[in-house]
């Protein structure tokens, strides 16, 4: 990789406890080929620079109106209007806004800049922790993800990758030796529902997972449970069939859908798409857990 290659990052979260074993630093890369109806990180989907607008923080000073070369911001007597279709992502309005009402969804960072943040947490990693690449889909920026992982290997930093699995299989041979643990989203074993709710066919995802396993990659299957969508026998059966076919899968995790991601649509100028009826109850989760245990799956 050239020294000045830039990686498109939405956020770096420090001291994470749920993105792999031990204490982790999670780096969210921008861009995802899926459009899951339950996405919790909608700002990571598009590769484009998007300006997040938080109306509750706006003090109506008009600085953004004055600097925007495209006339995307307008102030009326009682509202701040932001026409995102006009925005070209120059960030002039973000720099001019003193109240924090505007934020860029994307930062361009070098490997060195990312690892400068990561290294601050290193003293807390112990034997288990390290960096987790997340997103979006980290492999939507394949060369950048590989460059970051290679440098982590060189520095002896533990690595995990949270992935939807939908990426170019030609990178797998290079990728697998660089990742200690794949946190693999397995969204729905029913192909038609998978296409309906994520926008893509699952065949490629399953092929990539099986190839990672065949290459010796260690994985955890993370299954979001969406009531009324995938909490169904055919999905449970698909999880079981996958689990029994994998040699290096440590366990399966069930993650209950929550509606929080929906409110993250608002700063992007979209409607809150959180669906309360999709939230499983504790009893629903218990039922799913018991079904999967009966099918011989190791759950965590
Ligand atoms: S990022 Fe640039 S083009 Fe977009 S709204 Fe702000 S100032 Fe205007
Ligand atoms: S610069 Fe910030 S605070 Fe001022 S009007 Fe624009 S968004 Fe609101
Ligand atoms: S794979 Fe993840 S980041 Fe991509 S759309 Fe689905 S939930 Fe969102």
């Amino acid at each position: 990789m050239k020294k000045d290659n830039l990686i498109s990052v939405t956020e770096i979260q420090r001291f994470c406890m749920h993105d792999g074993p031990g204490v982790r630093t999670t780096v969210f890369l921008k861009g995802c080929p899926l459009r899951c109806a339950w996405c919790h990180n909608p700002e990571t989907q598009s590769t484009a620079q998007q300006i997040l607008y938080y109306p509750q923080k706006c003090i109506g000073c008009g600085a953004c109106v004055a600097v925007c070369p495209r006339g995307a911001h307008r102030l009326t007597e009682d509202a701040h209007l932001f026409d995102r279709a006009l925005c070209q992502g120059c960030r002039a309005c973000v720099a001019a806004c003193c109240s924090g009402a505007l934020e860029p969804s994307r930062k361009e960072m070098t490997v060195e800049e990312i690892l400068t943040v990561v290294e601050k947490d290193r003293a807390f990693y112990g034997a288990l922790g390290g960096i987790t690449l997340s997103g979006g889909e980290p492999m939507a920026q394949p060369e950048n993800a590989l460059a970051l992982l290679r440098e982590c290997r060189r520095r002896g930093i533990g690595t995990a990758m949270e992935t939807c699995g939908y990426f170019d299989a030609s990178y797998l041979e290079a990728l697998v030796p660089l990742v200690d643990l794949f946190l693999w989203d397995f969204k729905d074993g029913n192909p038609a529902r998978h296409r309906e709710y994520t926008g893509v066919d699952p065949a490629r995802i399953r092929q990539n997972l099986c190839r990672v396993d065949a290459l010796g990659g260690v994985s955890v299957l993370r299954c979001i449970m969406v009531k009324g969508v995938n909490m169904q026998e055919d999905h449970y059966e698909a999880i079981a069939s996958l689990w029994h076919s994998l040699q290096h899968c440590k366990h399966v995790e069930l993650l209950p859908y929550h509606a929080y991601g929906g409110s993250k649509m608002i700063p992007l100028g979209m409607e809150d798409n959180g669906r309360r009826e999709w939230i499983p109850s504790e009893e629903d989760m218990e039922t799913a857990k018991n079904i999967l245990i009966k099918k011989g799956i190791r759950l965590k």
Side-chain angles (χ1 to χ4, degrees):
M1 181 180 127
K2 280 185 271 164
K3 210 175 171 188
D4 58 352
N5 260 17
L6 292 173
I7 302 180
S8 187
V9 174
T10 56
E11 194 182 359
I12 301 178
Q13 280 180 6
R14 300 179 57 197
F15 302 109
C16 299
M17 302 301 293
H18 302 287
D19 294 333
V23 175
R24 322 281 316 175
T25 313
T26 305
V27 180
F28 293 83
L29 302 192
K30 193 157 162 64
C32 183
L34 273 61
R35 291 293 178 269
C36 302
W38 46 76
C39 184
H40 290 158
N41 297 318
E43 74 284 5
T44 66
Q45 291 179 354
S46 167
T47 53
Q49 178 65 282
Q50 295 160 293
I51 303 299
L52 308 177
Y53 170 55
Y54 301 92
Q56 69 279 13
K57 292 187 184 173
C58 177
I59 55 171
C61 68
C64 55
V65 180
V67 298
C68 179
R70 308 272 297 181
H73 295 277
R74 277 195 302 129
L75 284 179
T76 66
E77 267 192 19
D78 49 9
H80 177 160
L81 305 176
F82 181 14
D83 186 347
R84 286 176 173 79
L86 297 175
C87 176
Q88 61 187 10
C90 71
R91 295 198 276 184
C93 58
V94 177
C97 180
C98 62
S99 74
L102 298 169
E103 248 181 41
S105 64
R106 187 179 82 187
K107 286 170 240 154
E108 306 296 337
M109 300 177 80
T110 62
V111 167
E112 186 60 37
E113 285 167 340
I114 293 171
L115 291 182
T116 298
V117 180
V118 170
E119 292 274 9
K120 290 179 185 164
D121 291 352
R122 196 165 177 178
F124 303 95
Y125 290 163
L128 296 176
I131 190 174
T132 300
L133 299 197
S134 184
E137 168 49 53
M139 289 303 286
Q141 299 181 54
E143 298 294 349
N144 288 341
L146 290 174
L148 191 48
L149 290 165
R150 269 190 214 107
E151 184 57 16
C152 289
R153 270 284 182 271
R154 197 187 69 75
R155 297 186 188 198
I157 297 171
T159 58
M161 177 182 280
E162 201 174 3
T163 179
C164 70
Y166 195 89
F167 56 82
D168 183 345
S170 68
Y171 290 100
L172 283 172
E173 267 76 8
L175 178 67
V176 170
L178 298 174
V179 178
D180 298 328
L181 180 65
F182 289 89
L183 302 164
W184 206 283
D185 293 344
F186 186 58
K187 296 169 191 296
D188 201 328
N190 178 301
R193 280 200 310 265
H194 197 285
R195 284 190 292 274
E196 180 180 350
Y197 287 96
T198 72
V200 304
D201 189 87
R204 181 187 210 184
I205 295 170
R206 194 170 173 134
Q207 281 160 13
N208 280 349
L209 174 53
C210 293
R211 184 75 189 126
V212 163
D213 192 66
L215 290 168
V218 179
S219 61
V220 163
L221 292 185
R222 300 180 116 192
C223 304
I224 186 164
M225 293 282 104
V226 189
K227 186 174 181 174
V229 178
N230 65 0
M231 296 186 79
Q232 308 207 29
E233 177 55 28
D234 57 355
H235 183 37
Y236 300 144
E237 198 46 49
I239 297 172
S241 137
L242 195 51
W243 163 259
H244 291 296
S245 74
L246 297 173
Q247 298 296 309
H248 306 288
C249 185
K250 285 159 73 98
H251 58 258
V252 175
E253 294 177 7
L254 301 186
L255 311 172
Y257 168 82
H258 61 74
Y260 169 66
S263 64
K264 291 171 88 181
M265 303 294 275
I266 294 170
L268 291 167
M270 293 178 253
E271 279 187 20
D272 183 337
N273 66 352
R275 303 265 301 261
R276 298 205 63 78
E277 69 275 21
W278 281 356
I279 302 173
S281 65
E282 279 184 29
E283 293 74 35
D284 295 327
M285 291 300 292
E286 200 58 27
T287 303
K289 195 175 115 183
N290 289 332
I291 292 171
L292 291 171
I293 288 171
K294 277 194 193 135
K295 290 181 187 292
I297 290 168
R298 189 185 308 133
L299 282 183
K300 185 178 173 200

